[in-house]
């Protein structure tokens, strides 16, 4: 067909929600994309299936034990690695031109950072990379002249809307949030929210961690921090509005009062495909947005009393330095504790706030500062969790 060159792609987190959606997009355009490396965690059965279908040169899984189980399941000639080094090998694979960074949580930081240092373009779904180490990551992106293309639907929307005008004419970025499953639930009932209720997102199909983050609004908090570092606007110019229908994915306001919005069905394949093919757009063949069927589109202010996590994220930005990394680590501990029935839903923000108060915040100079802050904050959060469990 066309004369476009085959783009070679490595995927970090290939068996997760974004990873699977990325492979779905790629499978529709075999003449455009070639998968060269796949890094996953524990789901080796799916990783093996993906390896048979996409024939990468390299795959990596969580650890050596799983790697040995994976080996006989793979087609001949596929190299296997494991652990952190394995993920970094995928991220820096010599053949890869673009790396889809879709690991969940803090483990995504190092491989993504190394991919940038190796000069790869990045399709970024792992928001923790920017939350934890935003200034260091952006510095490296500039130094290596790579592209950092957002996959997060809100950031993809803003990235696209920003192209409508000059940067200096932007007055506000407005991130939309669905409000999650507890938007209309009274605060008094929050202590009784179950794991199962919290895992039911009204509009998006996502992994467990991000679904809980959406229910507490921490996901939006992390996205505010992500937007701040990615687009370089101060926190006071970044706002959040609740938009329960998840049709407008975000907006940019310009000084003349014009608002440029991005609308679409809530399907991650749209922002993923845009990051893969930027600046081109692909014929995805997905259902079109039916404006009549989705009417009306409504907006509300976020309720920070009910959802303190959003305010805590702004607080972490204000504190600066390692504070966003501490916030993120505390949140990961809190979500894991909630998912394993060790922490009540309403205590998630309490645990995060205490950790933020009781962990020393340091300036961010090197990546080691981020990694240390992450470790110390997890230890502190575990201590606080233990106290909360006792009380
Ligand atoms: Mg998002």
């Amino acid at each position: 067909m066309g004369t476009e060159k085959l783009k070679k792609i490595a995927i970090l987190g290939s068996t997760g929600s974004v990873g699977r959606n990325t492979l779905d997009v790629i499978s529709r355009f075999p003449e455009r994309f070639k998968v060269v490396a796949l890094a996953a965690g524990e789901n080796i059965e799916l990783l093996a299936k993906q390896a048979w279908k996409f024939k990468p040169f390299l795959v990596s899984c969580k650890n050596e034990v799983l790697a040995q189980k994976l080996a006989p399941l793979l087609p001949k000639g596929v190299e296997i690695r494991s652990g952190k080094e394995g993920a970094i090998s995928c991220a820096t694979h010599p053949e890869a031109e673009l790396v889809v960074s879709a690991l969940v949580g803090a483990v995504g930081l190092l491989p993504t950072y190394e991919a940038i240092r190796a000069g790869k373009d990045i399709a970024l779904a792992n928001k923790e990379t920017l939350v934890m180490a935003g200034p260091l990551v952006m510095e490296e992106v500039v130094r290596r002249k790579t592209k950092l293309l957002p996959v997060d639907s809100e950031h993809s929307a803003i990235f696209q809307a920003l192209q409508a005008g000059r940067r200096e004419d932007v007055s506000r970025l407005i991130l939309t949030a669905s409000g999650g499953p507890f938007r209309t639930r009274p605060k008094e009932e929050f202590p009784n929210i179950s794991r199962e209720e919290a895992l039911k997102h009204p509009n998006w199909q996502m992994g467990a961690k991000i679904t809980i983050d959406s229910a507490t609004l921490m996901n939006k908090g992390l996205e505010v921090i992500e937007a701040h570092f990615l687009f370089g606007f101060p926190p006071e110019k970044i706002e959040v509005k609740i938009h329960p229908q998840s049709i407008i994915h975000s907006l940019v306001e310009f000084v003349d009062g014009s608002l440029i919005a991005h609308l679409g069905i809530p399907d991650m394949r749209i922002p993923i495909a845009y990051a893969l093919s930027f600046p081109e757009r692909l014929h995805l063949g997905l259902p079109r947005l039916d404006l009549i069927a989705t009417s009306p589109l409504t907006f509300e202010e976020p309720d920070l009393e009910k959802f303190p996590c959003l305010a805590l994220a702004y607080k972490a930005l204000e504190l600066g330095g390692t504070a966003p990394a501490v916030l993120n680590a505390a949140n990961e501990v809190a979500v894991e504790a909630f998912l394993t029935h060790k922490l009540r839903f309403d205590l998630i923000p309490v645990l995060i706030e205490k950790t933020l108060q009781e962990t020393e915040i340091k300036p961010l100079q090197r990546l080691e500062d981020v990694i240390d802050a992450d470790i110390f904050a997890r230890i502190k959060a575990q201590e606080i969790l233990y106290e909360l469990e006792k009380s």
Side-chain angles (χ1 to χ4, degrees), residues 127 151-155 175-176 204 206 210 214 219-220 223 226 249 268:
K127 56 191 70 155
V151 166
D152 212 340
S153 60
E154 293 79 359
H155 303 75
L175 289 151
T176 54
W204 292 95
M206 305 176 291
I210 188 170
S214 297
N219 183 50
K220 213 48 54 178
E223 288 180 354
E226 183 186 5
H249 299 305
M268 282 308 291

Side-chain angles (χ1 to χ4, degrees), residues 246-301:
S246 297
I247 295 299
I248 296 184
H249 299 305
S250 278
L251 312 92
V252 173
E253 184 191 73
F254 289 91
V255 287
D256 63 353
S258 296
L259 274 168
I260 309 295
H262 177 278
L263 288 77
I265 57 166
D267 189 315
M268 282 308 291
R269 288 172 293 186
I270 298 174
I272 289 167
Y274 190 64
L276 293 182
S277 65
F278 173 81
E280 276 176 65
R281 291 179 187 270
L282 301 172
H283 287 88
L284 284 175
L286 297 173
R288 297 291 156 135
L289 175 64
D290 182 338
L291 281 171
I292 309 304
T294 49
S295 298
L297 300 180
T298 62
F299 302 90
E300 300 163 14
E301 288 295 345

Side-chain angles (χ1 to χ4, degrees), residues 78-378:
V78 178
E79 193 185 340
I80 313 175
R81 300 211 183 150
S82 67
K84 195 162 64 178
E85 281 69 32
I88 292 173
S89 301
C90 288
T92 58
H93 193 282
E95 292 275 333
E97 297 162 79
L98 180 130
V99 175
V100 178
S101 166
L103 288 163
V104 177
V107 294
L109 170 61
L110 215 56
T112 310
Y113 190 73
E114 290 302 326
I116 297 166
R117 278 162 44 91
K120 314 295 186 191
D121 289 335
I122 308 289
L124 187 72
N126 176 266
K127 56 191 70 155
E128 291 80 1
T129 296
L130 282 177
V131 169
M132 296 173 72
L136 303 175
V137 168
M138 294 313 290
E139 210 174 276
E140 215 48 49
V141 166
V142 172
R143 182 177 302 146
R144 310 284 169 178
K145 299 188 174 68
T146 65
K147 287 195 204 77
L148 189 54
L149 300 156
V151 166
D152 212 340
S153 60
E154 293 79 359
H155 303 75
S156 179
I158 289 171
F159 177 65
Q160 295 177 58
L162 282 172
Q163 293 168 43
R166 300 188 310 173
R167 202 191 149 73
E168 57 268 40
D169 296 335
V170 171
S171 54
R172 276 191 300 171
L173 309 183
I174 303 171
L175 289 151
T176 54
S178 71
F182 310 123
R183 182 174 60 88
T184 57
R185 173 117 22 141
K187 193 177 188 323
E188 306 79 70
E189 293 176 20
F190 275 32
N192 306 318
I193 286 173
S194 73
R195 182 182 186 275
E196 286 60 41
E197 289 175 289
L199 283 174
K200 279 196 198 107
H201 194 277
N203 305 335
W204 292 95
Q205 290 291 324
M206 305 176 291
K209 162 70 169 53
I210 188 170
T211 303
I212 303 302
D213 285 347
S214 297
T216 62
L217 286 203
M218 182 53 97
N219 183 50
K220 213 48 54 178
L222 298 176
E223 288 180 354
V224 167
I225 300 174
E226 183 186 5
H228 165 69
F229 291 122
L230 184 60
F231 302 117
F233 291 98
E236 60 273 18
K237 283 191 169 184
I238 306 174
E239 289 179 17
V240 172
K241 294 283 178 275
I242 303 295
H243 167 49
Q245 297 82 22
S246 297
I247 295 299
I248 296 184
H249 299 305
S250 278
L251 312 92
V252 173
E253 184 191 73
F254 289 91
V255 287
D256 63 353
S258 296
L259 274 168
I260 309 295
H262 177 278
L263 288 77
I265 57 166
D267 189 315
M268 282 308 291
R269 288 172 293 186
I270 298 174
I272 289 167
Y274 190 64
L276 293 182
S277 65
F278 173 81
E280 276 176 65
R281 291 179 187 270
L282 301 172
H283 287 88
L284 284 175
L286 297 173
R288 297 291 156 135
L289 175 64
D290 182 338
L291 281 171
I292 309 304
T294 49
S295 298
L297 300 180
T298 62
F299 302 90
E300 300 163 14
E301 288 295 345
D303 184 342
L304 299 180
E305 286 273 301
K306 263 168 74 173
F307 300 103
C309 286
L310 182 56
L312 287 172
Y314 277 98
K315 176 78 184 163
L317 261 187
E318 187 192 316
L319 291 169
T322 54
V326 170
L327 173 94
N328 179 68
N331 182 54
E332 288 190 18
V333 171
V335 171
E336 175 65 23
F338 173 70
L339 286 172
T340 52
H341 308 285
K342 290 184 191 130
L343 185 68
R344 266 177 17 213
F345 185 83
D346 61 312
L347 295 179
I348 293 175
V350 174
L351 175 61
I352 298 165
E353 185 170 21
K354 275 180 186 272
T355 308
L356 209 46
Q357 282 164 355
E358 294 177 24
T359 310
E360 191 189 348
I361 305 303
K362 294 186 177 165
L364 255 193
Q365 274 144 359
R366 300 159 311 138
L367 201 67
E368 287 73 24
D369 299 328
V370 181
I371 293 162
D372 288 348
D374 179 68
I375 294 168
F376 289 132
R378 279 169 203 271

Side-chain angles (χ1 to χ4, degrees), residues 1-6 28-33 280-284:
M1 227 180 66
T3 53
E4 304 91 354
K5 160 173 166 293
L6 196 65
R28 292 159 190 247
F29 302 93
E31 75 291 353
R32 296 288 305 263
F33 305 112
E280 276 176 65
R281 291 179 187 270
L282 301 172
H283 287 88
L284 284 175

